[in-house]
């Protein structure tokens, strides 16, 4: 059963409501079932999906976009299954992250992981040399996997030039 969207909402809430994933934001009644369900909340002292949605609803735009907290969501969607208002915190936080990226706010851990993938073309390249290369050699296979650095450089420039 769902209720009618509430009003008024903050300018930030309205902005997010226009983005893919944010459409049902105004249905949130702040019941807290998402937080009670969330496996990340159960191991974190600071990640609370209900509280994050509250900050959005009351318009804490800069605080939310510059925060690492929206990036904690691992998109398991357990909260979405339990929410009685059909709200998806995962989709809302994805919309928040899209907006944050557009404005240059990406947590360093995500930047460094993306850089690693783009540098290597494969996140496991370092372990490759120590582990897979030996096995491939034993099997008489080619040990040069021809990392396509030209391709990853093109990806970096085209999609991530302003971010990384
Ligand atoms: S997203 Fe759903 S479960 Fe979470 S506080 Fe809002 S209404 Fe409750
Ligand atoms: S989708 Fe995100 S907010 Fe929802 S339960 Fe999973 S980790 Fe928590």
């Amino acid at each position: 059963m769902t209720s009618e969207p509430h009003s008024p909402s903050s300018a930030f809430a309205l902005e997010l409501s226009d983005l893919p994933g944010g459409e049902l934001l105004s249905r949130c009644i702040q019941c807290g079932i998402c937080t009670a369900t969330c496996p990340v909340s159960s191991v974190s002292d600071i990640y609370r999906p209900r509280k994050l949605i509250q900050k959005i609803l009351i318009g804490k735009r800069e605080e939310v976009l510059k925060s690492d907290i929206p990036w904690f969501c691992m998109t398991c969607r357990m909260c979405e299954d339990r929410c009685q208002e059909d709200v998806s915190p995962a989709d809302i936080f994805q919309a928040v992250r899209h907006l944050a990226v557009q404005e240059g706010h990406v947590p360093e851990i995500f930047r460094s992981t993306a850089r690693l993938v783009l540098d290597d073309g494969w996140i496991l390249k370092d372990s490759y040399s120590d582990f897979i290369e030996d096995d491939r050699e034993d099997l008489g296979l080619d040990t040069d996997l021809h990392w396509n650095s030209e391709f990853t450089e093109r990806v970096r420039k085209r999609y991530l030039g302003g971010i990384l």
Side-chain angles (χ1 to χ4, degrees), residues 25 27-35 49-50 53 79 82-89 92:
L25 170 62
R27 286 190 183 278
C28 177
I29 57 170
Q30 289 288 289
C31 67
I33 287 175
C34 49
T35 294
R50 181 206 64 78
I53 293 173
C79 53
R82 294 264 176 88
C83 178
Q84 299 299 299
E85 300 295 327
D86 288 341
V87 178
S88 169
I92 292 169

Side-chain angles (χ1 to χ4, degrees), residues 2 21 24 33-39 47 49 53 73-94:
T2 59
L24 301 181
I33 287 175
C34 49
T35 294
T37 305
C38 178
Y47 182 67
I53 293 173
C73 175
M74 62 178 186
T75 326
C76 70
R77 299 190 180 278
M78 287 171 64
C79 53
E80 184 181 321
D81 288 336
R82 294 264 176 88
C83 178
Q84 299 299 299
E85 300 295 327
D86 288 341
V87 178
S88 169
D91 286 346
I92 292 169
F93 302 153
Q94 201 155 37

Side-chain angles (χ1 to χ4, degrees), residues 122-141:
W122 186 28
I123 202 166
L124 296 177
K125 187 177 178 185
D126 285 344
S127 50
Y128 165 79
S129 55
D130 299 335
F131 176 60
I132 302 174
E133 186 173 347
D134 290 345
D135 282 351
R136 287 184 66 89
E137 194 168 23
D138 290 347
L139 293 167
L141 298 172

Side-chain angles (χ1 to χ4, degrees), residues 12-74:
F12 184 33
L14 293 174
E15 180 183 8
L16 279 173
S17 299
D18 282 340
L19 296 178
E23 299 91 339
L24 301 181
L25 170 62
S26 61
R27 286 190 183 278
C28 177
I29 57 170
Q30 289 288 289
C31 67
I33 287 175
C34 49
T35 294
T37 305
C38 178
V40 179
S41 291
S42 72
V43 295
S44 166
D45 291 335
I46 56 174
Y47 182 67
R48 302 287 181 264
R50 181 206 64 78
K51 198 167 182 181
L52 188 53
I53 293 173
Q54 181 187 48
K55 286 178 189 263
I56 294 167
L57 290 171
I58 63 176
K60 302 264 186 189
R61 189 179 192 282
E62 287 304 297
E63 181 184 333
V64 170
L65 292 187
K66 288 181 178 172
S67 167
D68 289 356
I69 304 289
W71 299 77
F72 280 38
C73 175
M74 62 178 186

